[in-house]
Coordinates of all heavy atoms in Angstrom, one line a residue:
M12 N 21.3 13.5 10.9 CA 19.9 13.5 10.8 C 19.5 12.0 10.6 O 20.1 11.2 10.0 CB 19.4 14.3 9.6 CG 17.9 14.1 9.4 SD 17.3 14.8 7.9 CE 17.7 16.5 8.1
K13 N 18.3 11.7 11.3 CA 17.8 10.4 11.2 C 16.4 10.4 10.5 O 15.5 11.2 10.9 CB 17.6 9.9 12.6 CG 18.9 9.7 13.4 CD 18.6 9.2 14.8 CE 19.9 9.2 15.6 NZ 19.7 8.9 17.0
I14 N 16.3 9.6 9.4 CA 15.1 9.6 8.6 C 14.5 8.3 8.6 O 15.1 7.3 8.3 CB 15.5 10.0 7.1 CG1 16.1 11.4 7.0 CG2 14.2 9.9 6.2 CD1 16.6 11.7 5.6
L15 N 13.2 8.3 9.0 CA 12.4 7.0 9.1 C 11.5 6.9 7.9 O 10.8 7.9 7.6 CB 11.6 7.0 10.4 CG 10.6 5.9 10.6 CD1 11.3 4.5 10.6 CD2 9.8 6.0 11.8
L16 N 11.5 5.8 7.2 CA 10.7 5.6 6.1 C 9.6 4.6 6.5 O 9.9 3.4 6.8 CB 11.5 5.0 4.9 CG 10.8 4.7 3.6 CD1 10.0 5.9 3.0 CD2 11.7 4.1 2.6
C17 N 8.4 5.0 6.6 CA 7.3 4.1 7.0 C 6.5 3.6 5.8 O 6.2 4.3 4.9 CB 6.3 4.9 7.9 SG 7.0 5.7 9.3
C18 N 6.2 2.3 5.9 CA 5.6 1.6 4.7 C 4.6 0.6 5.2 O 4.4 0.4 6.3 CB 6.7 1.0 3.8 SG 7.6 -0.3 4.7
K19 N 4.0 -0.1 4.2 CA 3.0 -1.1 4.5 C 3.6 -2.4 5.0 O 3.2 -2.8 6.1 CB 2.1 -1.4 3.2 CG 0.9 -2.2 3.5 CD -0.1 -1.4 4.3 CE -1.4 -2.1 4.4 NZ -2.3 -1.5 5.4
A20 N 4.4 -3.0 4.3 CA 5.0 -4.3 4.7 C 6.5 -4.3 4.7 O 7.1 -4.9 5.7 CB 4.5 -5.4 3.7
G21 N 7.2 -3.8 3.7 CA 8.6 -3.7 3.9 C 9.5 -4.0 2.7 O 10.6 -3.5 2.6
V22 N 9.1 -4.8 1.8 CA 10.0 -5.2 0.7 C 10.4 -4.1 -0.2 O 11.6 -3.7 -0.3 CB 9.4 -6.4 -0.2 CG1 10.3 -6.7 -1.3 CG2 9.2 -7.6 0.7
S23 N 9.4 -3.4 -0.8 CA 9.7 -2.3 -1.7 C 10.3 -1.1 -0.9 O 11.1 -0.3 -1.3 CB 8.5 -1.9 -2.6 OG 7.5 -1.5 -1.7
C24 N 9.8 -1.0 0.3 CA 10.2 0.1 1.2 C 11.7 -0.1 1.6 O 12.4 0.9 1.6 CB 9.4 0.0 2.5 SG 9.6 1.4 3.5
N25 N 12.2 -1.3 1.8 CA 13.6 -1.5 2.1 C 14.4 -1.1 0.9 O 15.5 -0.6 1.0 CB 13.8 -2.9 2.6 CG 13.4 -3.0 4.1 OD1 13.7 -2.2 4.9 ND2 12.8 -4.2 4.4
M26 N 14.0 -1.5 -0.3 CA 14.7 -1.2 -1.5 C 14.7 0.3 -1.7 O 15.8 0.9 -2.1 CB 14.1 -1.9 -2.7 CG 14.3 -3.4 -2.6 SD 13.7 -4.3 -4.1 CE 12.2 -3.6 -4.6
F27 N 13.6 1.0 -1.4 CA 13.6 2.5 -1.6 C 14.5 3.1 -0.5 O 15.2 4.1 -0.8 CB 12.1 3.0 -1.4 CG 12.0 4.4 -1.9 CD1 12.0 4.7 -3.3 CD2 11.9 5.4 -1.0 CE1 11.8 6.0 -3.7 CE2 11.8 6.8 -1.5 CZ 11.7 7.0 -2.8
A28 N 14.5 2.6 0.7 CA 15.4 3.1 1.7 C 16.9 3.0 1.3 O 17.7 3.9 1.5 CB 15.2 2.4 3.0
S29 N 17.2 1.9 0.7 CA 18.6 1.7 0.1 C 18.9 2.7 -1.0 O 20.0 3.3 -1.0 CB 18.7 0.3 -0.4 OG 20.0 0.1 -0.9
T30 N 17.9 3.0 -1.8 CA 18.1 4.0 -2.9 C 18.2 5.4 -2.3 O 19.0 6.2 -2.7 CB 16.9 3.9 -3.9 OG1 16.7 2.6 -4.4 CG2 17.1 4.9 -5.0
L31 N 17.5 5.7 -1.2 CA 17.6 7.0 -0.6 C 19.0 7.1 0.1 O 19.6 8.2 0.0 CB 16.5 7.1 0.5 CG 15.1 7.4 0.1 CD1 14.1 7.3 1.2 CD2 15.0 8.8 -0.5
K32 N 19.5 6.0 0.7 CA 20.8 6.1 1.3 C 21.9 6.3 0.2 O 22.8 7.1 0.4 CB 21.1 4.7 2.0 CG 20.4 4.5 3.2 CD 20.6 3.1 3.8 CE 19.6 2.7 4.8 NZ 19.8 1.3 5.3
D33 N 21.8 5.7 -0.9 CA 22.7 5.9 -2.0 C 22.7 7.4 -2.5 O 23.7 8.0 -2.7 CB 22.4 5.0 -3.2 CG 22.7 3.5 -2.9 OD1 23.4 3.2 -1.9 OD2 22.2 2.7 -3.7
E34 N 21.5 7.9 -2.6 CA 21.4 9.3 -3.0 C 22.0 10.3 -1.9 O 22.6 11.2 -2.3 CB 19.9 9.7 -3.3 CG 19.7 11.1 -3.8 CD 20.4 11.4 -5.0 OE1 20.5 10.6 -5.9 OE2 20.9 12.6 -5.2
A35 N 21.7 10.0 -0.7 CA 22.3 10.8 0.4 C 23.8 10.7 0.4 O 24.5 11.7 0.6 CB 21.7 10.3 1.7
D36 N 24.4 9.5 0.1 CA 25.8 9.4 0.0 C 26.3 10.3 -1.2 O 27.4 10.9 -1.0 CB 26.2 8.0 -0.2 CG 26.1 7.1 1.0 OD1 25.9 7.7 2.1 OD2 26.0 5.9 0.9
K37 N 25.6 10.2 -2.3 CA 26.1 11.0 -3.5 C 26.1 12.5 -3.1 O 26.9 13.3 -3.6 CB 25.1 10.9 -4.6 CG 25.2 9.6 -5.4 CD 24.2 9.5 -6.5 CE 24.0 8.2 -7.1 NZ 23.0 8.1 -8.1
Q38 N 25.2 12.9 -2.3 CA 25.1 14.4 -1.9 C 25.9 14.7 -0.6 O 25.9 15.8 -0.1 CB 23.6 14.7 -1.6 CG 22.8 14.7 -2.9 CD 21.3 15.1 -2.6 OE1 21.1 15.9 -1.7 NE2 20.4 14.6 -3.4
N39 N 26.7 13.7 -0.2 CA 27.5 13.8 1.0 C 26.7 14.3 2.3 O 27.2 15.1 3.0 CB 28.7 14.8 0.8 CG 29.7 14.2 -0.2 OD1 30.0 13.1 -0.2 ND2 30.1 15.1 -1.1
L40 N 25.5 13.7 2.4 CA 24.7 14.0 3.5 C 25.0 13.1 4.7 O 25.1 11.9 4.4 CB 23.2 14.0 3.1 CG 22.8 14.9 2.1 CD1 21.3 14.6 1.7 CD2 22.9 16.4 2.5
D41 N 25.0 13.6 5.9 CA 25.3 12.8 7.0 C 23.9 12.4 7.6 O 23.3 13.1 8.5 CB 26.1 13.5 8.1 CG 26.4 12.7 9.3 OD1 26.4 11.4 9.2 OD2 26.7 13.3 10.3
V42 N 23.3 11.3 7.1 CA 22.0 10.8 7.5 C 22.0 9.3 7.8 O 22.8 8.6 7.2 CB 20.9 11.1 6.4 CG1 20.8 12.6 6.2 CG2 21.2 10.4 5.1
V43 N 21.1 8.9 8.6 CA 20.8 7.5 8.9 C 19.4 7.3 8.4 O 18.5 8.1 8.7 CB 20.9 7.2 10.4 CG1 20.4 5.8 10.6 CG2 22.3 7.4 10.9
I44 N 19.2 6.4 7.5 CA 17.8 6.1 6.9 C 17.5 4.7 7.2 O 18.2 3.8 6.9 CB 17.8 6.4 5.4 CG1 18.2 7.8 5.1 CG2 16.4 6.1 4.8 CD1 18.4 8.2 3.7
W45 N 16.3 4.5 7.8 CA 15.8 3.1 8.0 C 14.3 3.0 7.7 O 13.6 4.0 7.7 CB 16.1 2.6 9.4 CG 15.3 3.2 10.5 CD1 14.2 2.6 11.1 CD2 15.4 4.5 11.2 NE1 13.7 3.4 12.1 CE2 14.4 4.5 12.1 CE3 16.3 5.5 11.0 CZ2 14.3 5.7 12.9 CZ3 16.1 6.7 11.8 CH2 15.1 6.7 12.8
A46 N 13.9 1.8 7.4 CA 12.5 1.6 7.0 C 11.9 0.7 8.1 O 12.5 -0.2 8.7 CB 12.4 0.9 5.6
T47 N 10.6 0.9 8.3 CA 9.8 0.1 9.2 C 8.4 0.0 8.6 O 7.8 0.9 8.1 CB 9.8 0.7 10.6 OG1 9.2 -0.2 11.5 CG2 9.0 2.0 10.6
P48 N 7.8 -1.2 8.8 CA 6.4 -1.4 8.4 C 5.5 -0.7 9.4 O 5.8 -0.4 10.5 CB 6.2 -2.9 8.5 CG 7.2 -3.4 9.5 CD 8.4 -2.5 9.4
E49 N 4.3 -0.4 8.9 CA 3.3 0.4 9.6 C 3.0 -0.3 11.0 O 2.8 0.4 12.0 CB 2.0 0.4 8.8 CG 0.9 1.2 9.4 CD -0.4 1.2 8.5 OE1 -0.5 0.4 7.6 OE2 -1.2 2.1 8.8
T50 N 3.1 -1.6 11.1 CA 2.8 -2.3 12.3 C 3.8 -2.1 13.4 O 3.6 -2.5 14.5 CB 2.6 -3.8 12.0 OG1 3.7 -4.3 11.4 CG2 1.4 -4.0 11.2
A51 N 5.0 -1.6 13.0 CA 6.1 -1.4 14.0 C 6.6 0.0 14.1 O 7.6 0.3 14.7 CB 7.2 -2.3 13.6
I52 N 5.8 1.0 13.6 CA 6.3 2.4 13.6 C 6.6 2.8 15.1 O 7.5 3.5 15.3 CB 5.2 3.3 13.0 CG1 5.1 3.0 11.5 CG2 5.5 4.7 13.3 CD1 3.9 3.7 10.8
E53 N 5.7 2.5 16.0 CA 5.9 3.0 17.4 C 7.2 2.6 18.0 O 7.6 3.3 19.0 CB 4.7 2.6 18.2 CG 4.6 1.1 18.5 CD 3.8 0.3 17.4 OE1 3.4 0.9 16.4 OE2 3.5 -0.9 17.6
Y54 N 7.9 1.6 17.5 CA 9.2 1.2 18.1 C 10.3 2.1 17.8 O 11.3 2.1 18.6 CB 9.5 -0.2 17.8 CG 8.4 -1.2 18.2 CD1 7.6 -1.9 17.3 CD2 8.2 -1.4 19.6 CE1 6.6 -2.7 17.7 CE2 7.2 -2.3 20.0 CZ 6.4 -2.9 19.1 OH 5.4 -3.8 19.5
S55 N 10.3 2.9 16.8 CA 11.4 3.7 16.4 C 11.1 5.1 16.0 O 12.0 5.9 15.7 CB 12.3 3.0 15.4 OG 11.6 2.9 14.2
I56 N 9.8 5.5 16.0 CA 9.4 6.8 15.5 C 10.0 7.9 16.3 O 10.3 9.0 15.7 CB 7.9 6.9 15.3 CG1 7.5 8.0 14.4 CG2 7.2 7.0 16.7 CD1 6.1 8.0 14.0
K57 N 10.1 7.8 17.6 CA 10.6 8.9 18.4 C 12.1 9.2 18.1 O 12.6 10.3 18.5 CB 10.5 8.5 19.9 CG 9.0 8.4 20.3 CD 8.3 9.7 20.4 CE 6.9 9.5 21.0 NZ 6.1 10.6 20.9
S58 N 12.8 8.3 17.5 CA 14.2 8.5 17.2 C 14.4 9.4 15.9 O 15.5 9.8 15.6 CB 15.0 7.2 17.0 OG 14.9 6.4 18.2
A59 N 13.4 9.5 15.1 CA 13.5 10.2 13.8 C 13.4 11.7 13.9 O 12.6 12.2 14.7 CB 12.3 9.7 12.9
N60 N 14.2 12.3 13.0 CA 14.2 13.8 12.9 C 13.3 14.2 11.7 O 12.8 15.3 11.6 CB 15.6 14.3 12.6 CG 16.6 14.0 13.6 OD1 17.5 13.2 13.3 ND2 16.4 14.5 14.8
L61 N 13.0 13.2 10.8 CA 12.2 13.4 9.6 C 11.5 12.1 9.3 O 12.2 11.0 9.4 CB 13.1 13.8 8.5 CG 12.4 14.0 7.1 CD1 11.3 15.1 7.1 CD2 13.5 14.3 6.1
I62 N 10.2 12.1 9.0 CA 9.5 10.9 8.7 C 9.0 10.9 7.3 O 8.3 11.9 6.9 CB 8.3 10.7 9.7 CG1 8.9 10.6 11.1 CG2 7.5 9.5 9.4 CD1 7.8 10.8 12.2
L63 N 9.2 9.9 6.5 CA 8.7 9.7 5.2 C 7.7 8.7 5.2 O 7.9 7.6 5.8 CB 9.8 9.4 4.2 CG 11.1 10.2 4.2 CD1 12.1 9.7 3.2 CD2 10.7 11.7 3.8
I64 N 6.6 8.9 4.5 CA 5.5 7.9 4.5 C 5.2 7.5 3.0 O 5.1 8.4 2.1 CB 4.2 8.5 5.0 CG1 4.4 8.9 6.5 CG2 3.0 7.6 4.9 CD1 3.2 9.6 7.2
T65 N 5.2 6.2 2.8 CA 5.0 5.8 1.4 C 3.5 6.0 1.1 O 2.6 6.0 2.0 CB 5.3 4.3 1.3 OG1 4.5 3.5 2.2 CG2 6.8 4.0 1.5
P66 N 3.2 6.0 -0.2 CA 1.8 6.3 -0.6 C 0.8 5.2 -0.1 O -0.4 5.5 0.2 CB 1.8 6.2 -2.2 CG 3.3 6.4 -2.5 CD 4.1 5.9 -1.4
Q67 N 1.3 4.0 0.1 CA 0.4 2.9 0.5 C -0.2 3.1 1.9 O -1.3 2.6 2.3 CB 1.1 1.5 0.5 CG 1.6 1.1 -0.8 CD 3.0 1.6 -1.1 OE1 3.5 2.6 -0.5 NE2 3.7 0.9 -1.9
I68 N 0.5 3.9 2.7 CA -0.1 4.2 4.1 C -0.4 5.6 4.3 O -0.5 6.1 5.5 CB 0.9 3.6 5.2 CG1 2.2 4.3 5.2 CG2 1.0 2.1 5.1 CD1 2.9 4.1 6.5
A69 N -0.5 6.4 3.3 CA -0.8 7.8 3.4 C -2.1 8.0 4.2 O -2.2 9.0 5.0 CB -1.0 8.5 2.0
S70 N -3.0 7.1 4.2 CA -4.3 7.2 4.9 C -4.0 7.1 6.5 O -4.9 7.4 7.3 CB -5.3 6.2 4.5 OG -4.8 4.9 4.7
S71 N -2.8 6.6 6.8 CA -2.5 6.4 8.2 C -1.7 7.6 8.8 O -1.1 7.5 9.9 CB -1.6 5.2 8.4 OG -2.3 4.0 8.0
I72 N -1.8 8.8 8.1 CA -1.1 10.0 8.6 C -1.4 10.4 10.0 O -0.6 10.8 10.8 CB -1.3 11.1 7.6 CG1 -0.4 12.3 7.9 CG2 -2.7 11.6 7.5 CD1 1.0 12.2 7.6
K73 N -2.7 10.2 10.4 CA -3.1 10.6 11.7 C -2.4 9.8 12.8 O -1.8 10.3 13.8 CB -4.6 10.5 11.9 CG -5.0 11.0 13.3 CD -6.5 11.0 13.5 CE -7.0 11.3 14.9 NZ -6.1 11.4 16.0
K74 N -2.3 8.5 12.5 CA -1.6 7.5 13.4 C -0.1 7.9 13.6 O 0.4 8.0 14.7 CB -1.7 6.1 12.9 CG -0.9 5.1 13.7 CD -0.9 3.7 13.1 CE 0.0 2.8 13.9 NZ 0.1 1.5 13.3
V75 N 0.5 8.2 12.4 CA 1.9 8.6 12.4 C 2.1 9.9 13.2 O 3.0 10.0 14.0 CB 2.4 8.7 11.0 CG1 3.9 9.3 11.0 CG2 2.4 7.4 10.3
K76 N 1.3 10.9 12.9 CA 1.3 12.2 13.7 C 1.2 12.0 15.2 O 1.8 12.6 16.0 CB 0.3 13.2 13.1 CG 0.7 13.8 11.8 CD -0.4 14.8 11.3 CE 0.0 15.4 10.0 NZ -1.0 16.4 9.5
D77 N 0.2 11.1 15.5 CA 0.0 10.9 17.0 C 1.2 10.2 17.7 O 1.4 10.5 18.8 CB -1.3 10.0 17.2 CG -2.6 10.8 16.8 OD1 -2.5 12.0 16.7 OD2 -3.6 10.1 16.7
L78 N 1.9 9.4 16.9 CA 3.0 8.7 17.5 C 4.3 9.5 17.5 O 5.2 9.3 18.3 CB 3.3 7.4 16.8 CG 2.2 6.3 17.0 CD1 2.4 5.1 16.0 CD2 2.2 5.8 18.4
A79 N 4.5 10.4 16.5 CA 5.7 11.1 16.3 C 5.9 12.2 17.3 O 4.9 12.7 18.0 CB 5.7 11.7 14.9
N80 N 7.1 12.7 17.5 CA 7.3 13.9 18.3 C 6.6 15.0 17.6 O 6.5 15.1 16.4 CB 8.8 14.2 18.4 CG 9.5 13.2 19.2 OD1 9.0 12.7 20.3 ND2 10.7 12.8 18.8
P81 N 6.0 15.9 18.4 CA 5.2 17.0 17.8 C 5.8 17.9 16.7 O 5.2 18.3 15.8 CB 4.8 17.9 19.0 CG 5.0 17.0 20.2 CD 6.0 16.0 19.8
N82 N 7.1 18.1 16.8 CA 7.8 19.0 15.8 C 8.5 18.2 14.7 O 9.2 18.9 13.9 CB 8.8 19.9 16.6 CG 8.0 20.9 17.5 OD1 7.0 21.3 17.2 ND2 8.6 21.1 18.6
T83 N 8.3 16.9 14.7 CA 9.0 16.1 13.6 C 8.3 16.3 12.3 O 7.1 16.0 12.2 CB 9.1 14.7 14.0 OG1 9.7 14.5 15.2 CG2 9.8 13.8 12.9
P84 N 9.0 16.8 11.2 CA 8.3 16.9 9.9 C 7.9 15.6 9.4 O 8.7 14.6 9.5 CB 9.4 17.6 9.1 CG 10.4 18.1 10.0 CD 10.3 17.3 11.2
I85 N 6.8 15.5 8.7 CA 6.3 14.3 8.1 C 6.1 14.6 6.6 O 5.4 15.6 6.3 CB 5.0 13.8 8.7 CG1 5.3 13.5 10.2 CG2 4.5 12.6 8.0 CD1 4.1 13.2 11.0
Y86 N 6.6 13.8 5.7 CA 6.5 14.0 4.3 C 5.9 12.7 3.6 O 6.4 11.6 3.8 CB 7.9 14.2 3.7 CG 7.9 14.4 2.2 CD1 7.5 15.5 1.6 CD2 8.4 13.3 1.4 CE1 7.5 15.7 0.2 CE2 8.4 13.4 0.0 CZ 8.0 14.6 -0.6 OH 8.0 14.7 -1.9
I87 N 4.8 12.9 2.9 CA 4.2 11.8 2.2 C 4.8 11.8 0.8 O 4.7 12.7 0.1 CB 2.6 11.9 2.1 CG1 2.0 12.0 3.5 CG2 2.0 10.8 1.3 CD1 0.5 12.3 3.6
I88 N 5.3 10.6 0.5 CA 6.0 10.5 -0.8 C 4.9 10.4 -1.9 O 4.0 9.6 -1.8 CB 6.9 9.2 -0.8 CG1 8.0 9.3 0.3 CG2 7.5 9.0 -2.2 CD1 8.7 8.0 0.5
N89 N 5.1 11.1 -3.0 CA 4.3 11.1 -4.1 C 4.3 9.7 -4.7 O 5.4 9.1 -4.8 CB 4.8 12.1 -5.1 CG 4.0 12.1 -6.4 OD1 4.2 11.2 -7.2 ND2 3.3 13.1 -6.7
D90 N 3.1 9.2 -5.2 CA 3.0 7.8 -5.7 C 4.0 7.6 -6.9 O 4.6 6.6 -7.0 CB 1.6 7.5 -6.1 CG 1.3 6.1 -6.4 OD1 1.9 5.2 -5.6 OD2 0.6 5.8 -7.3
D91 N 4.0 8.6 -7.8 CA 4.9 8.4 -9.0 C 6.3 8.4 -8.6 O 7.1 7.6 -9.2 CB 4.6 9.6 -10.0 CG 3.3 9.5 -10.7 OD1 2.7 8.4 -10.7 OD2 2.8 10.6 -11.1
D92 N 6.7 9.2 -7.7 CA 8.1 9.2 -7.2 C 8.5 7.9 -6.5 O 9.6 7.4 -6.7 CB 8.4 10.4 -6.3 CG 8.3 11.7 -7.0 OD1 8.5 11.7 -8.2 OD2 8.0 12.7 -6.3
F93 N 7.6 7.3 -5.8 CA 7.8 6.1 -5.1 C 7.9 4.9 -6.1 O 8.9 4.1 -6.1 CB 6.8 5.8 -4.0 CG 7.1 4.6 -3.2 CD1 8.1 4.6 -2.3 CD2 6.3 3.4 -3.4 CE1 8.4 3.5 -1.5 CE2 6.6 2.3 -2.6 CZ 7.6 2.3 -1.7
Q94 N 7.0 4.9 -7.0 CA 7.0 3.8 -8.0 C 8.2 3.9 -8.9 O 8.7 2.8 -9.4 CB 5.7 3.9 -8.9 CG 4.5 3.4 -8.1 CD 3.3 3.4 -9.0 OE1 3.3 3.5 -10.2 NE2 2.1 3.3 -8.3
S95 N 8.7 5.1 -9.2 CA 9.9 5.2 -10.1 C 11.2 5.3 -9.3 O 12.3 5.4 -9.9 CB 9.7 6.5 -11.0 OG 9.8 7.6 -10.2
F96 N 11.1 5.1 -8.0 CA 12.3 5.2 -7.1 C 13.1 6.5 -7.4 O 14.3 6.5 -7.4 CB 13.2 4.0 -7.4 CG 12.8 2.8 -6.6 CD1 11.5 2.2 -6.7 CD2 13.7 2.2 -5.7 CE1 11.1 1.1 -5.9 CE2 13.3 1.1 -4.9 CZ 12.0 0.6 -5.0
N97 N 12.4 7.6 -7.4 CA 13.0 8.9 -7.6 C 13.5 9.4 -6.3 O 13.0 10.4 -5.7 CB 12.0 9.9 -8.2 CG 12.6 11.1 -8.7 OD1 13.8 11.4 -8.4 ND2 11.9 11.9 -9.5
A98 N 14.5 8.8 -5.8 CA 15.1 9.1 -4.5 C 15.6 10.5 -4.4 O 15.5 11.2 -3.4 CB 16.2 8.1 -4.1
K99 N 16.2 11.0 -5.5 CA 16.7 12.4 -5.5 C 15.6 13.4 -5.2 O 15.8 14.2 -4.3 CB 17.4 12.7 -6.8 CG 18.0 14.0 -6.9 CD 18.7 14.3 -8.2 CE 19.4 15.7 -8.1 NZ 20.1 16.0 -9.3
K100 N 14.5 13.3 -5.9 CA 13.4 14.2 -5.7 C 12.8 14.1 -4.3 O 12.6 15.1 -3.6 CB 12.4 14.0 -6.8 CG 11.2 15.0 -6.7 CD 10.2 14.8 -7.8 CE 9.0 15.7 -7.6 NZ 7.9 15.4 -8.4
V101 N 12.6 12.9 -3.9 CA 12.0 12.7 -2.6 C 12.9 13.2 -1.5 O 12.5 13.9 -0.6 CB 11.7 11.1 -2.3 CG1 11.4 10.9 -0.9 CG2 10.6 10.7 -3.2
L102 N 14.2 12.9 -1.6 CA 15.1 13.4 -0.6 C 15.2 15.0 -0.6 O 15.1 15.6 0.5 CB 16.5 12.8 -0.8 CG 17.5 12.9 0.3 CD1 17.0 12.3 1.6 CD2 18.8 12.3 -0.1
E103 N 15.3 15.6 -1.7 CA 15.3 17.0 -1.8 C 14.0 17.7 -1.2 O 14.1 18.6 -0.5 CB 15.5 17.5 -3.3 CG 16.9 17.2 -3.8 CD 17.0 17.5 -5.3 OE1 16.0 17.8 -6.0 OE2 18.1 17.4 -5.8
E104 N 12.9 17.1 -1.6 CA 11.6 17.7 -1.1 C 11.5 17.5 0.4 O 11.0 18.4 1.1 CB 10.4 17.1 -1.9 CG 10.4 17.6 -3.3 CD 9.2 17.1 -4.1 OE1 8.5 16.2 -3.6 OE2 9.1 17.5 -5.3
A105 N 11.8 16.3 0.9 CA 11.7 16.0 2.3 C 12.7 16.9 3.1 O 12.3 17.4 4.2 CB 12.0 14.5 2.5
L106 N 13.9 17.1 2.6 CA 14.9 17.9 3.3 C 14.4 19.4 3.3 O 14.6 20.1 4.3 CB 16.3 17.7 2.8 CG 16.9 16.4 3.0 CD1 18.2 16.3 2.3 CD2 17.1 16.1 4.5
A107 N 13.8 19.8 2.2 CA 13.3 21.2 2.2 C 12.2 21.4 3.2 O 12.2 22.4 3.9 CB 12.8 21.5 0.8
K108 N 11.3 20.4 3.4 CA 10.3 20.5 4.4 C 10.9 20.5 5.8 O 10.5 21.2 6.6 CB 9.3 19.3 4.2 CG 8.2 19.3 5.2 CD 7.1 18.3 4.9 CE 6.0 18.5 5.9 NZ 4.7 18.3 5.3
Y109 N 11.9 19.6 6.0 CA 12.6 19.6 7.3 C 13.3 21.0 7.6 O 13.1 21.5 8.7 CB 13.7 18.5 7.3 CG 14.6 18.5 8.5 CD1 14.1 17.9 9.7 CD2 15.8 19.1 8.5 CE1 14.9 17.9 10.8 CE2 16.6 19.1 9.6 CZ 16.1 18.5 10.8 OH 16.9 18.5 11.9
N110 N 14.0 21.5 6.6 CA 14.7 22.8 6.8 C 13.7 23.9 7.0 O 14.0 24.8 7.8 CB 15.6 23.1 5.6 CG 16.8 22.1 5.6 OD1 17.2 21.6 6.6 ND2 17.3 21.8 4.4
T111 N 12.6 23.9 6.4 CA 11.5 24.9 6.5 C 11.0 24.9 8.0 O 10.7 25.9 8.6 CB 10.4 24.8 5.5 OG1 11.0 24.9 4.2 CG2 9.3 25.8 5.7
K112 N 10.7 23.7 8.4 CA 10.1 23.5 9.7 C 11.1 23.8 10.9 O 10.7 24.2 12.0 CB 9.6 22.0 9.9 CG 8.9 21.8 11.2 CD 7.7 20.9 10.9 CE 6.9 20.8 12.2 NZ 5.6 20.2 11.9
N113 N 12.4 23.7 10.6 CA 13.4 23.9 11.6 C 14.2 25.2 11.5 O 15.3 25.3 11.9 CB 14.4 22.7 11.6 CG 13.7 21.5 12.1 OD1 13.4 21.4 13.3 ND2 13.5 20.5 11.3
I114 N 13.6 26.2 10.8 CA 14.2 27.5 10.7 C 14.0 28.3 12.0 O 13.0 28.3 12.6 CB 13.7 28.3 9.5 CG1 14.2 27.6 8.3 CG2 14.1 29.7 9.5 CD1 13.7 28.2 7.0

């Protein structure tokens, strides 16, 4: 599975992506996770099976939906979970949304 993490600029987003990768490794999940700033989403969004959006760009959900493949699940990360780097909860909720959409 390929998970794209979309953010405003990239610094905290890259750190969060790394935390998500560590959590995925702990759970033995076969995933590729990468982060991209909002200004470059269009370059890799079509490769994603699941899209995570940081709270800072939640207002750009329409842009993300317009650029993504129609059936790609999109998950907006809760502000508290992003600020506390709660990768376990974010990954579990995002994967649940992915699995629900792909039943």
